[in-house]
Amino acid sequence: MDILKMKNSHKLLSEFIYEPKALYRGYTDKTLYINISDNTIKEKDVPQKMKEKFIGGKGYGLRYLWDAVSPTTKWNDPENEIVVAVGPVGGITQYAGTGKSLIVSISPLTDIPIDSNVGGYFGPFLKFSGWDALEVQGKAEKDVIIVIDGNKGIVRIEEAPLEDVDAHLLGEQLTEMYAENEADKRNISVITAGTAAENTNIGVLNFTFYDVRRKVSRLKQAGRGGIGTVFRNKRIKGIVCKFKGVKGDLNHPYDQSIINKTGIKYHKEIAQNDHLQNNMRKIGTANIIEIMDEYDLLPVHNFQYGKHPDTYKIKSTVFIEKYCTQNMPDGCWYGCSMSCAKAVDNFKLKTGPYKGQNVCVDGPEYENAAGLGANCGIFDPEVILELNFYCDTYGIDTISYGTLTAFVMECYERGIINKDITEGLELNFGNAEASLELIHQMSRGEGFGKIAGMGIHKMKKLFVEKYGADKDFLYDIACEQKGLEYSEYLCKESLAQQGGYGLTNKGPQHDEAWLIFMDMVNNQIPTFEDKAEALHYYPMFRTWFGLLGLCKLPWNDITPPNNSETDEPAKVPEHVNNYLDLYYGVTGNRIDNNEMIRQSERVYNFQRVFNIRMGKGLRINDATPYRSMGPVTKEEYESRQERYDKQLRELVGFNPEGKTIEEKIKTLRAYREDQYEKLTDAVYKRRGWTMNGVPTPEKLRDLGMDLPELLEVVEKHLN
Amino acid sequence: MRLNDREFEHWKEGLTIQDVIDIMRFVYPRLVIKVNGKLIKKEEYSSFVLQENDDLKIYHLLAGG
């Protein structure tokens, strides 16, 4: 690559000089606003009231987005924004998982706000450069890059015509371009998307961090909801942030010693216990591939089944022993002792435009193996790694890609679509070649890849309207809700997790609540009220990570040895106290568990009202496809016949003897759908919402969120 | 015997906690186990013999990625 030639071809469109403000107790109280339609760059003060109610991260993103858009704004309108924000605790280096950025935008998949979190160095660098948040609005005429130099205090918008779009190339090119030398590369972080983000609705943002051992820019993804699609639609090629001088006290915290003490205690816990528990340092999130299979929770063949005899071929140890090459723990921000990042070096690609090249593949994570692999009936680790690489570099979400490919494979096998429609692709389960061709078509914007790239929500409508598919059946098997594809867990046998997916703000992503073991295996939350309490506490608790700039994994992917002796082991009380200490240490604001939950509730309810303002967010939008609740087809019923027959006898009072499978499916369905409605009632009640899912004015008042713009929205839906 | 507040169908004389883990294929490594409300340590799983009226709780500590 001729970096100099690329750089010389840049045309400066706008430049902004500023005095980088040092952080004070985790905040600068400044936001960088950039409009790429008219090339405005300006500094905004963060109002004290906003800081108190929205805290940071996702809270800031949602607040800015609300102010930027109207109820009729679509994802590709110039006023839609991409907001990147970290949060007050983000960027500290003494505790694990403290480098997360939260990204917010109106989603091309759901048409409502989406939030997605991501590691990599960009977010902390942005903070250290003087900005609590970055708002990007507008739409450029030609491809541009934005460059933030946090040491010199310069922000530039430049036309960038020659750089590649695919992430593994562009990340390297911009890192090389803006680093003064090899040692300086660690001070560069880049946001990119990829070529398929331009042609699909499932685009991701890649955030880089420079790996000094491998000498390569690694990629972490803000995956869900198509934010990369918004990025490329705005004609942004990349955003670079450069900051030299990372050290442990840049947040200028209130009490450094409490942060140090809490961090040392946690690092010891990791060192002494990780190898006895989840083995995150060695295997990362992939440790649960074979465990999900054992518990009948691994999605197979578009969520029809929960296990497969070939799962052993893609179990975690296969990747670790045969492919991952680092032989040492690996984190995506300084000081993360959990170190769950993993990579495969010198992976030789067999297909696509980079065929024959040796590349670095970040991953695989659990979701990659489950979605790209088992859910599509593919049990070849090398195909999973190749799809993983291409999803990242083309800039598309592995979860949405896996789930939508599984959907089209089932449609193909059942004759809902055929080779004429797929333009020759034989999309049978297990056809790795077809999946790889599909992803390359998405990059090129060609063929059936362009249809599949619309996402399941738009595809299912097309299949009904254009190809005469049976609407009821198709909607039953289409694993999407609010427009977002399901993430990779089978929740048919856990009512609480059906709610964990369905009763969410952004759609069926498991980052609000993962209750399958607690519900299905442990039987700890048997009543509707128990489940509702869990579906209040966990989504609120986990929202808090996104306000502060924290990763969820260090909370419960390791637990203190005496955790089992506590009253509520599932909540990991000692770690909750750690977080309260970190928040206090950075901000000087001492809060308790209740206030922690209320901080989240303020933002969570704001997001719910935002959804309602944009035309979703009511009870009807929380309905889920029956495939997520129970057996749609005869084959699914038969695969768990003993279990389902028993439930009919014991729970429904229906004797299955002598009944047809169809009769049994119908009866079980009526029961399970009724259970979901009852769960919805209980959860809405617990959250302080009407039975139509609307936060009440009383609830908003109680939270101090009775803002006029929120009351105006909810009051229209109170009767 | 009851397992997680459900009737355990495979109880037999001499059944240990480890036997239950094996029968149920509870392969997840982070379990919290209590018998009649008393916490049982991992090193006792193979030797702890369960009685017919025991209330066994085997809780999996996983709340998702």
Side-chain angles (χ1 to χ4, degrees):
Chain A
M1 56 186 172
D2 189 341
I3 297 296
L4 196 60
K5 188 178 169 192
M6 288 175 185
K7 195 170 185 181
N8 287 340
S9 71
H10 286 193
K11 178 182 166 190
L12 183 66
L13 299 176
S14 184
E15 184 175 76
F16 174 74
I17 310 290
Y18 70 101
E19 184 67 37
K21 189 182 171 191
L23 288 147
Y24 177 68
R25 297 185 182 178
Y27 293 96
T28 64
D29 297 327
K30 300 282 182 191
T31 290
L32 175 63
Y33 172 86
I34 297 176
N35 190 311
I36 50 172
S37 289
D38 60 11
N39 297 316
T40 303
I41 308 175
K42 66 179 182 185
E43 175 182 306
K44 288 165 71 170
D45 290 327
V46 178
Q48 182 62 25
K49 196 174 163 190
M50 173 170 157
K51 189 173 166 181
E52 286 166 10
K53 292 191 187 300
F54 293 89
I55 308 299
K58 172 176 161 176
Y60 278 19
L62 288 165
R63 175 72 264 185
Y64 282 131
L65 189 64
W66 178 295
D67 293 339
V69 302
S70 76
T72 57
T73 298
K74 297 298 173 205
W75 70 272
N76 53 359
D77 287 336
E79 66 260 33
N80 188 19
E81 290 194 340
I82 295 171
V83 187
V84 181
V86 180
V89 176
I92 67 168
T93 58
Q94 293 80 15
Y95 200 84
T98 56
K100 285 281 188 175
S101 303
L102 274 292
I103 326 299
V104 173
S105 190
I106 299 292
S107 161
L109 288 168
T110 65
D111 301 314
I112 55 175
I114 187 78
D115 59 275
S116 198
N117 76 72
V118 57
Y121 293 177
F122 188 94
F125 283 2
L126 181 72
K127 269 185 80 167
F128 302 151
S129 298
W131 308 110
D132 288 346
L134 166 67
E135 272 181 280
V136 182
Q137 197 174 33
K139 202 184 279 197
E141 288 176 9
K142 295 178 180 172
D143 279 347
V144 298
I145 61 166
I146 295 165
V147 184
I148 303 163
D149 187 322
N151 297 108
K152 292 179 180 165
I154 302 172
V155 183
R156 289 196 180 106
I157 307 171
E158 300 174 0
E159 273 182 18
L162 298 185
E163 286 84 351
D164 284 284
V165 172
D166 282 340
H168 79 293
L169 297 175
L170 182 57
E172 295 285 333
Q173 289 162 5
L174 294 179
T175 300
E176 178 87 26
M177 192 178 292
Y178 290 98
E180 288 168 14
N181 49 48
E182 178 63 28
D184 195 34
K185 287 183 179 174
R186 65 163 65 194
N187 305 318
I188 308 283
S189 182
V190 184
I191 307 177
T192 68
T195 46
E198 296 171 3
N199 304 313
T200 68
N201 291 324
I202 58 172
V204 297
L205 293 182
N206 286 288
F207 280 51
T208 72
F209 66 103
Y210 191 72
D211 185 332
V212 295
R213 295 195 302 260
R214 292 186 168 85
K215 300 191 187 308
V216 65
S217 290
R218 304 267 300 277
L219 304 174
K220 304 300 282 183
Q221 292 76 36
R224 306 300 337 253
I227 305 174
T229 302
V230 180
F231 192 81
R232 286 304 294 142
N233 183 265
K234 290 182 178 299
R235 301 208 63 172
I236 305 170
K237 235 178 197 177
I239 306 178
V240 179
C241 191
K242 179 173 182 179
F243 180 81
K244 185 177 180 180
V246 172
K247 52 183 182 168
D249 62 352
L250 288 183
N251 272 291
H252 289 159
Y254 171 73
D255 184 346
Q256 184 72 51
S257 64
I258 196 170
I259 299 169
N260 295 347
K261 194 174 145 194
T262 308
I264 290 166
K265 181 180 70 162
Y266 185 82
H267 297 325
K268 277 186 188 163
E269 189 184 314
I270 288 264
Q272 291 167 3
N273 300 290
D274 179 60
H275 66 291
L276 302 171
Q277 296 186 21
N278 284 355
N279 230 353
M280 295 295 282
R281 285 167 68 84
K282 191 171 182 189
I283 305 179
T285 62
N287 75 82
I288 59 170
I289 298 167
E290 53 271 31
I291 289 170
M292 290 299 107
D293 185 85
E294 281 285 358
Y295 287 82
D296 209 9
L297 297 169
L298 183 74
V300 170
H301 292 184
N302 193 29
F303 298 92
Q304 291 182 81
Y305 314 110
K307 56 168 65 225
H308 193 281
D310 288 339
T311 299
Y312 74 94
K313 294 177 183 172
I314 59 165
K315 67 181 182 179
S316 58
T317 47
V318 172
F319 290 104
I320 292 303
E321 289 163 9
K322 200 167 172 195
Y323 298 102
C324 290
T325 39
Q326 64 210 26
N327 298 319
M328 67 177 81
D330 188 7
C332 66
W333 175 240
Y334 295 107
C336 184
S337 49
M338 177 151 273
S339 300
C340 71
K342 299 287 162 283
V344 177
D345 292 299
N346 299 313
F347 182 75
K348 192 169 185 178
L349 297 166
K350 297 182 182 119
T351 69
Y354 309 113
K355 181 180 175 180
Q357 294 183 18
N358 291 324
V359 295
C360 175
V361 188
D362 241 280
E365 305 290 340
Y366 163 74
E367 301 281 341
N368 307 144
L372 305 172
N375 213 5
C376 296
I378 293 170
F379 295 91
D380 181 336
E382 294 190 10
V383 172
I384 290 168
L385 286 170
E386 181 133 350
L387 286 166
N388 190 158
F389 171 79
Y390 274 116
C391 276
D392 293 348
T393 198
Y394 287 161
I396 54 175
D397 176 18
T398 53
I399 296 176
S400 278
Y401 180 80
T403 297
L404 73 82
T405 303
F407 170 71
V408 295
M409 284 179 163
E410 185 172 357
C411 288
Y412 187 82
E413 293 222 330
R414 294 187 186 279
I416 295 166
I417 55 174
N418 55 36
K419 256 167 103 169
D420 290 338
I421 295 167
T422 67
E423 298 186 26
L425 285 182
E426 294 179 351
L427 284 161
N428 299 94
F429 286 119
N431 189 344
E433 200 181 318
S435 180
L436 284 160
E437 177 53 23
L438 187 68
I439 203 169
H440 297 317
Q441 287 183 357
M442 288 181 182
S443 163
R444 300 192 299 265
E446 292 175 2
F448 189 68
K450 195 144 188 176
I451 292 173
M454 296 190 304
I456 293 177
H457 185 73
K458 292 186 174 69
M459 250 196 297
K460 72 181 187 184
K461 286 184 176 169
L462 181 81
F463 292 176
V464 171
E465 288 163 12
K466 196 168 175 187
Y467 305 125
D470 176 342
K471 183 178 175 184
D472 290 342
F473 180 74
L474 203 63
Y475 279 45
D476 278 350
I477 67 166
C479 287
E480 64 91 8
Q481 189 232 36
K482 299 184 178 80
L484 189 70
E485 285 75 19
Y486 270 69
S487 70
E488 308 300 337
Y489 297 96
L490 202 75
C491 60
K492 283 178 201 176
E493 312 311 329
S494 167
L495 177 61
Q497 188 56 32
Q498 291 163 30
Y501 274 134
L503 305 173
T504 51
N505 271 330
K506 69 175 168 232
Q509 166 71 358
H510 56 277
D511 63 349
E512 281 198 13
W514 197 94
L515 302 172
I516 301 182
F517 277 172
M518 195 183 239
D519 184 36
M520 184 182 99
V521 184
N522 301 350
N523 196 25
Q524 284 175 284
I525 43 176
T527 69
F528 291 114
E529 287 70 28
D530 294 333
K531 290 176 178 36
E533 182 57 37
L535 284 167
H536 177 259
Y537 177 81
Y538 287 101
M540 299 311 147
F541 176 68
R542 293 169 70 143
T543 291
W544 199 76
F545 293 120
L547 307 183
L548 276 290
L550 298 170
C551 174
K552 168 261 159 196
L553 298 178
W555 160 52
N556 72 345
D557 275 277
I558 179 89
T559 50
N562 65 352
N563 186 57
S564 56
E565 295 163 22
T566 62
D567 289 341
E568 295 182 284
K571 291 183 178 175
V572 199
E574 185 178 320
H575 288 180
V576 175
N577 285 333
N578 287 354
Y579 289 118
L580 294 172
D581 284 343
L582 292 177
Y583 182 69
Y584 173 66
V586 174
T587 67
N589 184 13
R590 176 57 85 185
I591 60 170
D592 61 13
N593 297 32
N594 289 335
E595 180 55 21
M596 177 193 237
I597 296 302
R598 283 172 67 82
Q599 285 184 341
S600 292
E601 276 193 285
R602 291 184 190 108
V603 174
Y604 195 90
N605 280 274
F606 182 84
Q607 189 170 1
R608 181 74 178 186
V609 179
F610 201 164
N611 284 354
I612 297 169
R613 179 189 185 220
M614 301 305 287
K616 290 187 180 174
L618 300 175
R619 187 174 186 123
I620 193 172
N621 307 113
D622 287 343
T624 58
Y626 190 63
R627 174 60 60 76
S628 73
M629 300 166 78
V632 175
T633 64
K634 194 177 165 189
E635 306 88 75
E636 285 168 86
Y637 192 98
E638 285 172 342
S639 74
R640 292 172 169 171
Q641 176 140 348
E642 196 181 331
R643 178 189 303 185
Y644 293 143
D645 281 358
K646 190 176 175 201
Q647 285 183 5
L648 284 172
R649 268 193 301 273
E650 295 178 0
L651 300 175
V652 189
F654 177 87
N655 183 358
E657 290 298 318
K659 304 292 191 308
T660 65
I661 297 279
E662 287 76 12
E663 285 172 308
K664 292 195 279 189
I665 288 175
K666 189 178 169 191
T667 306
L668 188 66
R669 178 172 188 152
Y671 171 76
R672 289 193 171 197
E673 288 180 336
D674 180 60
Q675 293 281 297
Y676 186 78
E677 292 305 319
K678 285 177 175 151
L679 176 71
T680 303
D681 288 346
V683 171
Y684 286 177
K685 185 179 170 195
R686 178 63 187 87
R687 290 181 181 172
W689 298 352
T690 70
M691 287 302 107
N692 196 22
V694 180
T696 63
E698 294 74 30
K699 180 69 186 178
L700 295 175
R701 261 193 291 279
D702 175 58
L703 292 170
M705 291 299 282
D706 48 339
L707 311 175
E709 64 270 34
L710 300 194
L711 293 173
E712 186 189 344
V713 173
V714 299
E715 278 165 1
K716 288 179 196 160
H717 295 276
L718 290 180
N719 295 316
Chain B
M1 196 196 92
R2 291 180 74 75
L3 169 61
N4 293 346
D5 295 314
R6 296 174 179 124
E7 197 64 37
F8 184 69
E9 295 166 354
H10 309 284
W11 185 84
K12 60 180 182 185
E13 206 66 54
L15 187 81
T16 66
I17 290 173
Q18 188 60 48
D19 291 335
V20 176
I21 291 170
D22 294 342
I23 290 165
M24 298 303 292
R25 298 194 62 78
F26 285 163
V27 296
Y28 185 64
R30 289 191 305 156
L31 303 174
V32 175
I33 299 186
K34 290 183 179 177
V35 177
N36 304 324
K38 189 185 165 212
L39 188 70
I40 308 297
K41 295 204 162 144
K42 197 169 186 174
E43 46 274 24
E44 295 175 63
Y45 292 174
S46 296
S47 58
F48 195 105
V49 176
L50 293 156
Q51 306 302 313
E52 193 166 5
N53 293 325
D54 278 346
D55 175 20
L56 173 64
K57 297 275 194 317
I58 301 183
Y59 287 165
H60 294 57
L61 282 189
L62 178 69

